[in-house]
Amino acid sequence: MSKADVKNPAGRKAYIITGPTSGIGRRTAFELAKHGMLVLVGRDRGKLDEVRKSIERKGQHAVPVVCDLSDLASVQRAAAEIVALHLPIAGLLNNAGIMQMRPTKNALGWDMSFVTNHLGPFALTEALVPSLPDGANVVFVVSAVEDPERKPAVAAGFRGGRYISAEASARGEWKPGGSKRPGFDAYATSKQAILAAAMAFARETPRLHFNAIEPGLNPTTGLGGGAMSARSYASCRYSSSRSSCPLSRS
C-alpha cells in the first residue's frame, strides 16, 4: 500500500501493533485507534481488513500490513512497507505471539515458538528503529512464565526459560530439567529471550522508550489472569512517560 492510499487526517500520530486480529491485541487496537492512525500487522489479510473496516466504521483510521513473524523475509518486507508509508510513528507494540502444545518448525526448520515470539519481533523492531522519532515508545509483551521461581507458573507446569543459545533455541533444544508438558519450554524460553532483547534495545537506543509488559491472563487465548485491561495496555503503549510502564519483569 502506498502513502497516497493511507488516510491520516491532520497528520495524527501513528501506532504499529502486531497481532491485532484477536485477543488482547484486538481490544488494544480499538483502544489505540482513538488516539491516532493504526498500522495493523498480521498474517491474515482477510482478518486484518475486517479489523480495519471495524475501526473505520467508528470514524477512525487504520492500514493493514501483511507479515508472518515466523518468516524473517516477510518481516523485512513488512518493515520496508511500513517505513515507505512515512507516517509519524509514535510507537510500536510487539503484541503477537503463539504458544504451541505440539512444537512445529518454520520453513527453515526453526522452532516456531522461538522464531515467532522472539526472532520475528526482534527483527521487526531492529528494522524499524532507525525510522522511529526520538521519544517513540516500543513495547514487548513478555510473560512471567520465564521466571522459574514464579509460583503460579510453576504450579501450571512451567519451569522457567531454558535458554542455551540462539542456535539451540532455533533447533528446539532447551536446558535439561524443564517442563514435562510439550511446548512449555519453547514458550517460556522465547519470552525469556524477548525480555533480554528489550533490555538490550533499551541500553543501546536511549533515545527511544523501551518497555516490557506482562499483561496477565487473556481468556480469549487461554494464556496467563486478567491483570491488565486493554485500556491500561494501550496507555502503556502510547504514553510519553517512561514511568508509565517501566522496563521490568511485571
Side-chain angles (χ1 to χ4, degrees):
M1 181 170 291
S2 68
K3 181 181 178 183
D5 296 323
V6 177
K7 297 177 182 179
N8 186 28
R12 297 181 73 200
K13 290 180 179 179
Y15 302 92
I16 305 163
I17 178 171
T18 67
T21 61
S22 64
I24 199 169
R26 183 183 178 94
R27 291 288 301 275
T28 302
F30 286 114
E31 186 67 29
L32 277 176
K34 299 174 185 177
H35 303 275
M37 172 81 180
L38 285 195
V39 180
L40 305 169
V41 180
R43 291 179 298 175
D44 190 311
R45 167 70 72 176
K47 291 181 179 179
L48 291 174
D49 282 339
E50 186 274 324
V51 175
R52 175 185 59 80
K53 290 175 183 177
S54 295
I55 288 171
E56 291 179 348
R57 281 196 292 269
K58 297 176 182 289
Q60 297 152 0
H61 301 276
V63 55
V65 173
V66 175
C67 175
D68 181 351
L69 289 172
S70 73
D71 178 348
L72 298 188
S74 175
V75 172
Q76 293 298 324
R77 287 193 296 270
E81 184 176 343
I82 293 168
V83 170
L85 295 175
H86 299 291
L87 292 168
I89 302 296
L92 163 64
L93 173 52
N94 289 292
N95 163 76
I98 62 170
M99 181 174 173
Q100 295 188 315
M101 296 296 100
R102 298 189 179 198
T104 63
K105 307 286 187 180
N106 73 354
L108 295 177
W110 298 349
D111 180 82
M112 189 67 79
S113 292
F114 188 72
V115 68
T116 303
N117 296 347
H118 170 59
L119 296 181
F122 179 91
L124 180 65
T125 301
E126 187 175 53
L128 292 174
V129 158
S131 299
L132 297 179
D134 290 354
N137 292 290
V138 179
V139 176
F140 294 90
V141 176
V142 298
S143 174
V145 303
E146 62 85 25
D147 184 351
E149 297 182 1
R150 188 59 64 95
K151 291 181 179 179
V154 172
F158 288 95
R159 296 296 180 266
R162 317 300 300 176
Y163 186 84
I164 300 172
S165 68
E167 293 79 8
S169 295
R171 293 192 298 267
E173 300 171 2
W174 326 108
K175 278 185 180 180
S179 177
K180 294 181 180 180
R181 302 187 65 176
F184 276 35
D185 288 347
Y187 182 75
T189 304
S190 71
K191 291 300 184 178
Q192 179 185 44
I194 203 60
L195 174 59
M199 291 177 170
F201 274 121
R203 287 194 303 270
E204 296 170 5
T205 317
R207 68 181 186 83
L208 302 177
H209 298 170
F210 289 90
N211 297 292
I213 62 170
E214 209 277 19
L217 175 67
N218 178 5
T220 60
T221 62
L223 298 179
M228 180 176 282
S229 68
R231 181 170 306 216
S232 59
Y233 192 40
S235 69
C236 171
R237 173 67 177 78
Y238 62 74
S239 172
S240 61
S241 170
R242 287 179 181 268
S243 62
S244 65
C245 182
L247 181 57
S248 65
R249 293 188 190 190
S250 299

